[in-house]
Amino acid sequence: MKTNVCVVGGGPAGLVLGLLLARQGVVVTVLEKHADFLRDFRGDTVHPSTLDMLDEIGLGERMAALPGRRVGGLHATFDDGTYPVVDFTRLPAPHNYVYFVPQWDFLEMLAAEAAKFPAFTLLRATTATGLLRDASGTVTGVRAAGPEGTLEIEASLTVACDGRDSLVRQELGLRPVDYGAPMDVLWFRISRRPTDGDGLAMRIGSGGLMLAIDRGDYYQCAYLIAKGGYDEIRAAGLDALREQVARRHPILADRVGELATWDDVKLLTVKLDRLERWHRPGVLLIGDAAHAMSPIAGVGINLAVQDAVATAWMLGPKLAAGQPVTEADLAAVQKRRHFPTAVTQNVQRAAQRRVVDPLLHATGRIAAPAPIRLLKRFPRLQAIPARLVGIGVRPEHVR
């Protein structure tokens, strides 16, 4: 099988890239290892800059019709009260909010739109198993296993969008610089009632914090624990975890019994890393394959999508014209996307070091720090974190 571009991974970055290339007439094949997108994703946050991009390609109305929740701000509750932290409504309309939408619905929408273009092929239930190379070592495609057996996909460019445990990255022998993280996350659902209020609720106290994401009829909860502390929490028992959740978010006290077994609690191992070089001859890595993001601010999907948009407008014209993509072209993509990635990760590293790690080991009463109190006193300042989170350092646009 031959294609111009083989995209490994059918997540947000892979499907956005496939769609944007196919719109330019580039023959592109996307490999997705699952048969469908119906599974429990850790990231369902779609930021304003991504919503702007969807408007630019005519998908804004279809995106708005998906069963999601619009959230205009984030409040943080400390032992001394509740404080507004981020106000997305201060961003430019129409997308002055973050959108929590089931990722499977988002991906199916992208796949359906891409399928309208004859240059696009999505191979579901197809797993990349290795790379094809020529005599010089240049990557010339992908070896894969699908429903009909093994196949070889020859491509003038291979793009790895296959996540933090990227097979392409392993095949190339690339190792990212690990910046470490002091925490892991327990991920679970608890039912929500209309009387609970809406939006994002962060509860901060000694021993850590918990984020409750309003998903309509339930909360998607992220409960931070010390790195490597999962076995200790398991040993303490599920009752102890329920008690901690109720203490963090008192309105959930009569519902924590919904955590019936440990199967209801998923462990997310947090990584924060970045490749020094995102490319080799014939292959480019973007998204989590190039830089795993901390869950702080939930910007992983946004960064990956922005990588895909930049890749499409920087490489698409050459690919569409049948011209070879050089290593200099691939390096240019990394150069453009390295800056916003590094800045965002540095902010996350600072937050982990100065906020999360101390909280995870704190005892006693936790009061809101001075910067948080300042945001409450001067509400206009809440637009600063809103812009950093919602739009980012270098938002990309379809060209």
Side-chain angles (χ1 to χ4, degrees):
M1 177 179 179
K2 291 187 177 182
T3 187
N4 278 13
V5 178
C6 181
V7 178
V8 181
L15 286 176
V16 167
L17 177 58
L19 168 58
L20 295 182
L21 289 177
R23 282 167 52 93
Q24 300 177 63
V26 178
V27 178
V28 56
T29 301
V30 177
L31 308 186
E32 167 52 43
K33 65 181 179 180
H34 296 93
D36 56 46
F37 300 118
L38 291 173
R39 52 193 182 277
D40 187 23
F41 292 94
R42 300 296 183 265
D44 289 344
T45 312
V46 181
H47 291 74
S49 56
T50 300
L51 295 171
D52 288 341
M53 180 274 295
L54 293 171
D55 273 356
E56 292 166 357
I57 60 174
L59 291 180
E61 291 186 3
R62 288 176 59 186
M63 184 67 177
L66 295 181
R69 297 283 288 182
R70 299 183 181 188
V71 173
L74 167 66
H75 290 73
T77 299
F78 296 81
D79 290 330
D80 63 342
T82 298
Y83 297 80
V85 177
V86 182
D87 186 358
F88 293 108
T89 65
R90 295 182 180 274
L91 297 178
H95 301 126
N96 50 358
Y97 56 89
V98 292
Y99 197 32
F100 290 98
V101 61
Q103 194 175 130
W104 51 82
D105 290 330
F106 179 41
L107 296 178
E108 286 290 1
M109 181 194 72
L110 293 173
E113 178 66 18
K116 296 178 181 178
F117 297 91
F120 178 85
T121 300
L122 173 61
L123 298 181
R124 299 178 187 252
T126 303
T127 303
T129 58
L131 297 176
L132 303 177
R133 294 180 172 91
D134 64 14
S136 68
T138 298
V139 173
T140 58
V142 172
R143 188 176 297 106
E148 298 180 1
T150 60
L151 68 157
E152 293 187 349
I153 304 169
E154 298 178 20
S156 57
L157 175 65
T158 298
V159 183
C161 302
D162 52 342
R164 59 161 81 178
D165 298 316
S166 169
L167 175 127
V168 174
R169 190 173 69 194
Q170 295 172 21
E171 287 284 305
L172 294 170
L174 300 177
R175 291 188 177 183
V177 177
D178 186 357
Y179 297 110
M183 76 287 196
D184 290 324
V185 179
L186 299 182
W187 194 252
F188 50 86
R189 296 182 180 187
I190 294 181
S191 62
R192 176 186 169 277
R193 297 169 186 165
T195 54
D196 291 344
D198 56 15
L200 285 170
M202 181 181 290
R203 303 282 171 156
I204 301 170
S206 60
L209 58 87
M210 185 178 87
L211 180 66
I213 303 170
D214 173 4
R215 295 298 304 272
D217 58 353
Y218 69 91
Y219 290 106
Q220 188 73 66
C221 298
Y223 185 95
L224 271 63
I225 63 173
K227 172 66 72 175
Y230 180 64
D231 289 342
E232 182 179 345
I233 289 176
R234 282 289 298 258
L238 199 54
D239 283 339
L241 176 61
R242 295 189 193 105
E243 181 181 346
Q244 291 298 318
V245 171
R247 185 167 68 87
R248 289 276 183 276
H249 207 336
I251 68 169
L252 302 182
D254 62 347
R255 283 164 262 176
V256 293
E258 295 171 10
L259 301 177
T261 72
W262 284 106
D263 290 337
D264 298 322
V265 181
K266 309 299 181 183
L267 173 66
L268 172 63
T269 302
V270 175
K271 290 184 179 181
L272 182 61
D273 61 38
R274 186 172 71 248
L275 288 175
E276 292 183 338
R277 186 176 178 187
W278 301 10
H279 57 90
R280 286 290 188 271
V283 61
L284 174 69
L285 299 93
I286 62 173
D288 281 2
H291 48 78
M293 309 299 292
S294 167
I296 291 174
V299 294
I301 292 177
N302 193 45
L303 266 290
V305 168
Q306 299 304 310
D307 285 357
V309 175
T311 301
W313 72 255
M314 294 180 74
L315 303 183
K318 264 196 165 185
L319 291 162
Q323 300 173 3
V325 172
T326 66
E327 271 220 89
D329 296 325
L330 302 180
V333 175
Q334 176 181 345
K335 183 178 180 180
R336 179 170 180 84
R337 295 306 305 160
H338 177 271
F339 175 73
T341 301
V343 170
T344 304
Q345 288 187 324
N346 285 340
V347 172
Q348 291 183 327
R349 291 167 66 188
Q352 289 181 165
R353 182 174 63 253
R354 299 177 183 177
V355 179
V356 176
D357 192 37
L359 281 174
L360 289 172
H361 299 92
T363 58
R365 194 168 182 268
I366 304 296
I372 298 296
R373 296 198 300 273
L374 192 66
L375 290 171
K376 183 175 183 178
R377 184 176 179 184
F378 301 101
R380 290 186 178 181
L381 295 178
Q382 296 167 34
I384 298 174
R387 183 170 183 84
L388 289 174
V389 172
I391 297 177
V393 177
R394 178 178 281 165
E396 303 287 352
H397 297 277
V398 177
R399 305 191 180 187

